[in-house]
Amino acid sequence: MRYAKRGPLRFTSHRDFARAFERAVRRAGVPVAYSQGFTPHPKISYASAAPTGVASEAEYLEIGLQAPVDPAALRAALDAALSPGLDVLDAVVGTGGSLADRIEASSWRVELPEIDTAALRAAVDAFAAADEVQVERMTKQGRRVFDARNAVMSIDVVAPTPTPSGGPAVPCAILEVVVRQVTPSVRPDDVLSGLRVVAGLEPPVPPRVTRLAQGTLTAQGEIVDPLDADRDGATIGER
């Protein structure tokens, strides 16, 4: 299944979403399968969840069922049982293989209010020209230094959309970046740290980050939806 985190619900943590999804499964009467053992758990697994505070149009999960169901009906029932902003977009019947194994890269859009587009473009050019860009981040294993450049497949500056009135507005530079799955993972905030390292770019206000897609990579560097491998030629409802 593919779901989205939108609007204020982008601040929902992965743990909070997992609890909300399990409640939605119960409310919708989904015949979910359970693990064996002393404390059975519903068979739900998540693939590469976005960080708290980040919006996403491409989050994925797998759910094991005790009986066959219509994917379109399942999607609609779960979507109705979740709060607006946590939206179930797509569902297919899995035909084998791990969903996590089909996720090789993510595409991100980063909006940078009060950053001039020319300044961002200069920083991106410096980042792209570098052989490596060492950044530092606190992880569960402690503070780590790693190369943020190697994981970045593409990075570009997107022209900002003019205001509807045509009047002046606060500048907002927009960055789009495709990042491969590596260990340790490289996140959009690591790429921004890299821009600070190579060009001294310092966003004055927090950026707005949205994951646009994740999946397998083609030879041309395009991202393929991981659910495509299970489709029978028909798209199961998306809104």
Side-chain angles (χ1 to χ4, degrees), residues 88-115:
V88 182
L89 305 178
D90 203 356
V92 296
V93 176
T95 58
S98 169
L99 185 60
D101 291 341
R102 302 177 190 175
I103 295 180
E104 299 174 344
S106 292
S107 172
W108 303 88
R109 179 183 177 94
V110 184
E111 299 176 34
L112 298 163
E114 300 185 29
I115 291 288

Side-chain angles (χ1 to χ4, degrees), residues 49-133:
T52 303
V54 171
S56 178
E57 293 296 313
E59 300 299 287
Y60 291 91
L61 62 83
E62 296 174 287
I63 179 169
L65 303 176
Q66 298 179 26
V69 298
D70 176 65
L74 177 64
R75 185 210 68 80
L78 288 172
D79 187 53
L82 286 165
S83 299
L86 297 177
D87 302 319
V88 182
L89 305 178
D90 203 356
V92 296
V93 176
T95 58
S98 169
L99 185 60
D101 291 341
R102 302 177 190 175
I103 295 180
E104 299 174 344
S106 292
S107 172
W108 303 88
R109 179 183 177 94
V110 184
E111 299 176 34
L112 298 163
E114 300 185 29
I115 291 288
D116 181 72
T117 297
L120 177 60
R121 191 174 299 280
V124 164
D125 289 345
F127 184 93
D131 292 328
E132 66 175 26
V133 179

Side-chain angles (χ1 to χ4, degrees), residues 109-110 112 115-125 154-160 172-177 195 201:
R109 179 183 177 94
V110 184
L112 298 163
I115 291 288
D116 181 72
T117 297
L120 177 60
R121 191 174 299 280
V124 164
D125 289 345
S154 66
I155 184 168
D156 198 8
V157 180
V158 179
C172 180
I174 300 174
L175 177 71
E176 288 193 355
V177 57
L195 296 179
L201 188 76

Side-chain angles (χ1 to χ4, degrees), residues 131-149:
D131 292 328
E132 66 175 26
V133 179
Q134 295 291 320
V135 299
E136 187 176 30
R137 179 180 12 114
M138 181 63 73
T139 69
K140 293 179 180 178
Q141 292 74 38
R143 191 168 295 280
R144 296 193 62 174
V145 177
F146 55 92
D147 178 18
R149 176 65 186 89

